[in-house]
Amino acid sequence: MIAVVDYGGGNLGSLISALERRGASFVVSEDAEVVAAADAAILPGDGAFAATMAALRARGLDAAVQATIAAGRPFLGICVGMQILYESSAEHGEHAGLGVFPGRISRFSGAPRTPHMGWNELEFVRDHPFVRGVPAGSYAYFLHSYRADVGDTTLAASEHGGRFSAIVARDNVMATQFHPEKSQATGAALLDNFIALCA
């Protein structure tokens, strides 16, 4: 059973539809105990870093996410759900994240426009079961103003005024800066891979 974390934000509707199309076994829950006990978890994100962290903490869901990760169960973060895995963010001040990945989330600088919105190509730089079978040159749909640097956890990068992390992973923790449920064939392949890892 996959727990889709409901913290009062995030884009649940399109993700739920995508999981239903794939026949995934999942439950949407804001209960920290349910999330911590699930076989895997997905944290969708939509909104600001600090507000997301505050909503998670208010429900005890930050600890539930960390328990899932520490237990080695598959975890997928989406958009802001990826960013909160880092140590901190500069969005509207300095705010602490979960510290699962090293680094700081920062605003785009030198980009032709902000937010970064629309389809962009993925440059795969490292292999992981999460991205297997996703062809080189695949595109994903982005909508964000803050980004993570390319580093040791980066599986795929994109370019927007400089390279940034589009997909990251380490062991059982996977995350995308874009919404896979809105990224057509690319996103479908990634969700299929994640569900297979949960089986």
Side-chain angles (χ1 to χ4, degrees):
M1 178 66 71
I2 301 169
V4 177
V5 181
D6 180 5
Y7 58 91
N11 188 5
L12 291 175
S14 56
L15 176 61
I16 289 169
S17 295
L19 293 174
E20 288 175 342
R21 286 196 300 273
R22 332 215 86 64
S25 176
F26 70 95
V27 60
V28 179
S29 182
E30 62 176 14
D31 187 323
E33 291 184 2
V34 171
V35 173
D39 300 313
I42 300 175
L43 177 61
D46 187 16
F49 186 102
T52 299
M53 283 300 303
L56 291 171
R57 290 192 186 106
R59 296 164 173 82
L61 289 167
D62 57 333
V65 165
Q66 290 171 316
T68 298
I69 291 170
R73 296 190 288 268
F75 177 85
L76 174 60
I78 296 172
C79 200
V80 175
M82 167 183 149
Q83 294 184 2
I84 60 101
L85 294 171
Y86 285 81
E87 291 170 308
S88 65
S89 171
E91 185 176 6
H92 307 308
E94 288 293 327
H95 304 283
L98 296 179
V100 176
F101 296 146
R104 177 176 178 263
I105 302 298
S106 59
R107 188 174 173 85
F108 281 108
S109 62
R113 64 188 179 281
T114 302
H116 173 220
M117 181 172 63
W119 293 90
N120 205 340
E121 187 173 1
L122 301 177
E123 173 202 349
F124 291 97
V125 297
R126 193 163 62 88
D127 191 31
H128 185 279
F130 183 50
V131 296
R132 290 208 182 132
V134 182
S138 293
Y139 279 73
Y141 187 80
F142 293 86
L143 176 55
H144 60 122
S145 298
Y146 290 78
R147 32 83 82 203
D149 290 336
V150 174
D152 292 343
T153 60
T154 305
L155 302 185
S158 283
E159 178 84 23
H160 186 68
R163 292 168 82 236
F164 67 91
S165 288
I167 306 175
V168 294
R170 186 175 63 206
D171 302 326
N172 59 307
V173 184
M174 296 147 270
T176 62
Q177 178 57 70
F178 54 89
H179 283 270
E181 71 275 14
K182 296 182 179 180
S183 296
Q184 297 182 1
T186 300
L190 292 169
L191 288 174
D192 285 341
N193 285 346
F194 179 76
I195 291 166
L197 290 168
C198 296

